[in-house]
Amino acid sequence: MFTINELTSIFPSYRGAADDQILIRGAMTDTRLENKQSLFVPIVGENHNAHKFINEAIKKGAVAALWQKDHELPREIPTEFPVFFVEDTLQALQETSSFYLKKVNPTVIGITGSNGKTTTKDLVASVLQVKFRTHKTAGNYNNHIGLPLTILSMPSNTEVAVLEMGMSQAGEISLLSKLAEPSHVIITNIGESHIEYLGSREGIAKAKLEILNGWHDGTFIFDGDEDLLKSYIGTDRSVSCGFLSQSSVVIKVQELLEDRSHFEVLAHNYTLPIAGRHNVKNAAYAISLAQTLGLTPDEIQSGFDNIELSGMRFEKVDGINGSLLINDAYNASPTSMKATIGIIEELQSRSHKILVLGDMFELGEFAGELHEDVATVITDQISSVYTIGEHASRIVESVKVKHPNIESIHFKDKESLSDHLKKRLTDNTVVLIKASRGMKLEQLLNDLTEK
C-alpha cells in the first residue's frame, strides 16, 4: 500500500522509526482480529475508546499507529514503534484513505440510495470485474468509518473502486463524496429510510443528492421513475433509468420468475439470476455504467451470471419439512419491504406463502402509518402474515380489515412466533423473513432449518 515514512508528509508530528521504509498493508481498528503489517487507528466512540488496546494491536500485527494528542501514550510502548500524533483519529483515518486513494488512482464509482445500494454495488462490481481489476465495499462498510476502511483494504493495482455510501443524517453523504471524489455516481431510489431525521422524502432526496458534491468528470445515473429526481432527466452527463418512457434508458420487463428475471435494456436482452422488478432496475444502472466504460452486452451478461450478493439479502435457505425460507433480514424500509413482498406473491413454485415481518426503524412520527401502508401490497396470494415488534402490529391490523381470509397474527416474542411458524412449514411453503437489522429476525433460522 504505502510505507510508514510516506505518512510523515500527512502527519508531521510523530515519534519512533517513522522515517523507515516499513510497508503498511492495511488498517486496523479492531484488535480482536490479526492484521499483519497494519496501521492501528484507535477510534473514539460514544461508548468505547480503542486507545487502551494499543498493546493488543501491536501483538496482532500493527507496525505503526495514529494517536490522538489528548491521550497519554503508555510508557511501555517501544520507543522505536512509529506513532503519529493527530487531533482526531477518525479524521486522520479519512485523510489516510484519501491519500491512498489518490496514490492508487482508480476510477471511483459512488453508489447511494434509500434501498438497493448494496445489491447495485454487487451488480456493478460483478460486471466491471469482467474487464477491470475491481474492488468493492465489503458488506455495508459504507459510513464515515467503513468507507475509509474499504479504501484502505483496496489492492494497490485496483483499476475500479465501487464504493457504497450510506447515511442517516444530512451532510454525511457530502463528506463521503468529497473524500472519495467519484467519477461516476448512482442514486438507486428515494425511499423513506431515515425520514425520522430528515423530515420528508424531499429531505431524503436532498441528502442523497449530496453525492454530487464530490462528483467529477463522469456520469450521473439515477432512478428516472422518481418524481423527486425528474428535474435531472436530460441534464448534462446524466442517465435516467426507469420503466416509464420519460427515462433516457427505458427498461422493458419480459418475464419475472422466482429465481431470475428477463428484460431488455438499450436494445439488448439480459437475464438476471435474481428475482424482482426492483432488481431489474438495479441491473439497468449497472448496464448503463458498464456501457459508459466500454463493456459489451456479452461482457455485462457474463458479469450477471457470476454475481455474488452480500449476505442476508433475499438469501434462500432450506427449511424443515422441505420448506423454503427467504432470509431478507439485513435491513428494511417500507419501499424495500413492499418490493420483496411482491416477489413472494409472484412465486409459482410454492402456493403456501407466509410473511414474517418485523419493525422498520428510523421512521419517527411516520412509523405507524408507514407500517400500515405495507399492507396495501398484500393480496390474497399470501396465506399468512405474522408480525413482531412495536409498530409491525399495524400491518396485521390493516390486513385483517382488507383480507379477513388471510391468517394474521402479531407475536410478542420470537419464541412464540417460531413455535407457531414451525407447525405451518411444509414442502409447499415459502416464508419471507423481513425487518430492520436491529430486530435480528435471522435468529429464527436456528429453529426453522434442519439440524
Side-chain angles (χ1 to χ4, degrees), residues 159-302:
E159 295 175 309
V160 174
V162 184
L163 303 180
E164 180 180 333
M165 300 183 185
M167 52 146 280
S168 58
Q169 304 273 5
E172 293 175 351
I173 294 292
S174 181
L175 184 152
L176 301 178
S177 182
K178 290 177 180 177
L179 190 160
E181 297 184 345
S183 293
H184 307 278
V185 297
I186 297 173
I187 297 180
T188 60
N189 67 356
I190 307 299
E192 304 84 5
S193 302
H194 315 301
I195 198 169
E196 175 181 7
Y197 307 114
L198 297 165
S200 64
R201 290 186 70 251
E202 288 77 9
I204 293 168
K206 184 178 180 181
K208 298 299 182 186
L209 285 163
E210 290 174 6
I211 198 170
L212 301 179
N213 291 353
W215 170 56
H216 63 95
D217 297 338
T219 306
F220 170 33
I221 301 170
F222 62 96
D223 182 358
D225 297 329
E226 172 55 64
D227 285 344
L228 293 173
L229 299 176
K230 65 181 181 181
S231 62
Y232 290 89
I233 294 176
T235 59
D236 186 38
R237 295 186 293 148
S238 72
V239 175
S240 53
C241 300
F243 301 108
L244 304 177
S245 60
Q246 65 189 15
S247 295
S248 55
V249 173
V250 177
I251 307 161
K252 298 178 182 177
V253 175
Q254 297 165 333
E255 188 177 26
L256 297 175
L257 303 173
E258 64 181 79
D259 59 351
R260 63 191 183 278
S261 306
H262 300 286
F263 62 99
E264 177 188 318
V265 166
L266 297 173
H268 290 281
N269 295 328
Y270 295 94
T271 297
L272 185 69
I274 312 173
R277 185 179 175 89
H278 59 298
N279 284 320
V280 168
K281 185 179 286 188
N282 293 335
Y285 302 140
I287 293 167
S288 299
L289 176 63
Q291 291 208 346
T292 297
L293 295 177
L295 274 75
T296 67
D298 287 344
E299 289 172 327
I300 293 169
Q301 183 60 59
S302 175

Side-chain angles (χ1 to χ4, degrees), residues 310-318 324-331 340 344 430-435 437 440-445:
S310 299
M312 288 195 288
R313 288 172 171 83
F314 212 79
E315 190 174 49
K316 296 182 179 180
V317 181
D318 292 329
L324 172 63
L325 311 177
I326 306 295
N327 177 21
D328 203 35
Y330 191 84
N331 217 334
T340 311
I344 300 300
V430 59
V431 180
L432 170 66
I433 301 172
K434 181 78 172 171
R437 183 71 189 90
K440 299 181 180 178
L441 283 195
E442 72 278 1
Q443 294 174 352
L444 293 171
L445 297 176

Side-chain angles (χ1 to χ4, degrees), residues 114-115 190-196 201 204 333-336 338 361-363 370 373:
S114 295
N115 313 112
I190 307 299
E192 304 84 5
S193 302
H194 315 301
I195 198 169
E196 175 181 7
R201 290 186 70 251
I204 293 168
S333 70
T335 300
S336 67
K338 287 190 283 189
F361 295 165
E362 298 184 349
L363 299 178
L370 288 174
D373 187 58

